[in-house]
Amino acid sequence: MRVLVLGSGGREHALVRALHRDPAVTDLHCAPGNPGTAEIAANHAIDMLNPTAVVELARRLTIDLVVVGPEAPLVAGVADAVREAGLACFGPDKAAARIEGSKAFAKEVMQAAGVPTARARVCDTSGQAEGALSEFGPPYVVKDDGLAAGKGVVVTDDMGAAMEHAAACDRVVIEEFLDGPEVSLFALCDGQDAVPLVPAQDFKRAYDGDAGPNTGGMGAYTPLPWAPPGLVDEVMDTVIRPTVNELRRRETPYVGVLYAGLALTSRGVRVIEFNARFGDPETQVVLDRLATPLGGLLQACALGGLAADQRLAWHPGAAVTVVVAAENYPASPAKGDVITGLDEANAVPGAYVLQAGTALDADGRLVSAGGRVLNVVGSGADLAGARAAAYEAAGKIRLRGSHHRADIALKAVEA
């Protein structure tokens, strides 16, 4: 199988790494990729938001399967163009990708499917926003209706800050606050059936103790020892399958991975959001644990051959990932700083480094090129061992001004 992965971040490096380990994948490409993916795949410098360029590349490389990593190409209709060209594609078409591209559309689908979620109001004016905020009260939850690279949500007790965020967006969805711990669950879908992966938890706030602004994610871990028994089956029955069925009813069958961001509230499971792609950085730990070859699974989704009763195989133990972020992330991250210590980090038993916001400078040195620069993954027999490996490896990396959270998976280990 010849596979092309679209994207350039840590999620795509994790996907490429997992596909590289699949013996059925004989040729592996990434566009545009990063210096990390270049070590195990052939990188191609194209605009992944350009459907024509993607199709031309896939045809030239005689690709059997295109895997779309980020959300932006999906919303831009890249998957539509790939399928129209007669090529297999893992990733929803433009219409189905609205489940992430528009928070208002996602709420509409959830309401029609009977999916449990927060009460919400769609607001186009400041007056509507002020009314909705007053109705729900603090903590205020304000979501940009469109794509915002994981940073379009503000949760605050400050009415002024909530209104400021609403004013900065063309359209917002304002919701009631959901209490309880958050869980991420991915389900692989072929338009009709869906198979779950293991749940994970990520950490959105920039600093320890869930302080600071929201980010794209500062770390993640799996498994979740505190999760209630039967959680995955409940979510599949009340969230994933009803949503897939509703999209199929609308003649927009969902092919790809459906990400459900969940809150385990005092009133039961509630959906916080849907994403139309693998979440980052949860993908890094979930794929670390996956023992079933990834290429065959993604191809089965693309071709409509996923078995609803398929049971995936998982490596025993646990995985933890720690995000090393650039100076001043998430506000205006510094770029161009030299990164060293990756060889030492990769030499730590049970640990390895995935590259995210990296590039090579004119002298061939690895430098920072984004906010979330590296994902350091640790695996072990349990969360304590995985966490120790991840943090030992993270301590080997040198990047001027960088920062990372020190408490990823800490509460789960202590409990």
Side-chain angles (χ1 to χ4, degrees):
M1 186 192 320
R2 300 167 64 87
V3 182
L4 169 63
V5 176
L6 299 183
S8 62
R11 165 186 48 230
E12 286 73 42
H13 194 177
L15 285 165
V16 167
R17 180 179 183 273
L19 289 164
H20 180 68
R21 294 157 62 193
D22 184 343
V25 176
T26 55
D27 199 23
L28 190 52
H29 300 263
C30 194
N34 63 42
T37 63
E39 296 176 1
I40 50 177
N43 281 357
H44 301 271
I46 68 165
D47 178 5
M48 64 180 173
L49 299 182
N50 184 330
T52 301
V54 172
V55 169
E56 289 177 351
L57 177 64
R59 281 177 166 164
R60 178 166 60 84
L61 298 173
T62 61
I63 292 298
D64 299 306
L65 176 66
V66 176
V67 178
V68 185
E71 61 274 24
L74 296 170
V75 173
V78 167
D80 306 60
V82 170
R83 291 192 181 95
E84 287 168 6
L87 301 170
C89 183
F90 179 85
D93 61 19
K94 184 176 182 178
R98 289 184 67 208
I99 199 80
E100 178 173 3
S102 169
K103 302 294 189 298
F105 175 74
K107 285 292 185 183
E108 177 190 318
V109 170
M110 283 187 270
Q111 182 177 11
V115 170
T117 187
R119 293 182 299 129
R121 298 286 181 268
V122 179
C123 303
D124 295 296
T125 68
S126 60
Q128 290 174 346
E130 185 174 5
L133 291 169
S134 299
E135 176 186 355
F136 293 134
Y140 304 109
V141 181
V142 185
K143 298 181 177 181
D144 190 336
D145 179 53
L147 294 180
K151 297 182 284 291
V153 179
V154 164
V155 181
T156 178
D157 289 319
D158 184 337
M159 180 74 160
M163 285 295 296
E164 182 180 358
H165 182 62
C169 305
D170 291 333
R171 192 186 204 197
V172 292
V173 175
I174 293 176
E175 297 183 352
E176 65 175 336
F177 177 76
L178 296 175
D179 62 344
E182 296 185 10
V183 174
S184 299
L185 183 70
F186 306 150
L188 303 179
C189 310
D190 70 352
Q192 177 144 349
D193 295 319
V195 173
L197 304 184
V198 293
Q201 186 177 59
D202 78 330
F203 294 73
K204 289 295 186 189
R205 298 286 184 170
Y207 308 120
D208 288 1
D210 291 328
N214 268 344
T215 71
M218 293 298 292
Y221 70 95
T222 191
L224 311 181
W226 46 266
L231 174 64
V232 172
D233 289 339
E234 178 184 353
V235 174
M236 292 300 293
D237 289 341
T238 64
V239 174
I240 300 296
R241 291 192 183 97
T243 300
V244 171
N245 291 340
E246 174 62 20
L247 290 170
R248 187 175 69 250
R249 188 189 69 78
R250 294 170 179 240
E251 298 182 349
T252 56
Y254 193 94
V255 176
V257 62
L258 182 60
Y259 165 115
L262 310 163
L264 307 189
T265 77
S266 55
R267 295 172 291 157
V269 175
R270 297 290 186 272
V271 175
I272 301 170
E273 64 175 353
F274 283 126
N275 288 338
R277 37 73 191 186
F278 283 105
D280 185 344
E282 299 99 316
T283 300
Q284 287 82 317
V285 292
V286 171
L287 292 186
D288 180 88
R289 299 290 85 199
L290 181 65
T292 301
L294 181 63
L297 285 173
L298 303 189
Q299 188 178 49
C301 291
L303 299 178
L306 193 66
D309 59 351
Q310 181 167 359
R311 298 297 177 186
L312 306 184
W314 299 94
H315 297 297
V320 173
T321 189
V322 176
V323 171
V324 177
E327 181 183 34
N328 206 33
Y329 175 76
S332 54
K335 299 180 181 179
D337 289 305
V338 175
I339 306 164
T340 59
L342 264 65
D343 288 343
E344 295 94 321
N346 283 318
V348 173
Y352 56 91
V353 180
L354 298 171
Q355 296 187 34
T358 63
L360 298 178
D361 68 7
D363 297 320
R365 299 176 301 178
L366 188 69
V367 297
S368 59
R372 294 184 295 168
V373 181
L374 303 169
N375 307 148
V376 185
V377 181
S379 57
D382 54 26
L383 279 174
R387 188 173 184 278
Y391 277 105
E392 181 181 351
K396 307 288 186 183
I397 293 168
R398 294 174 291 281
L399 170 61
R400 186 201 63 80
S402 65
H403 63 96
H404 62 266
R405 285 185 58 158
D407 61 349
I408 305 299
L410 180 59
K411 288 183 179 179
V413 169
E414 291 177 342

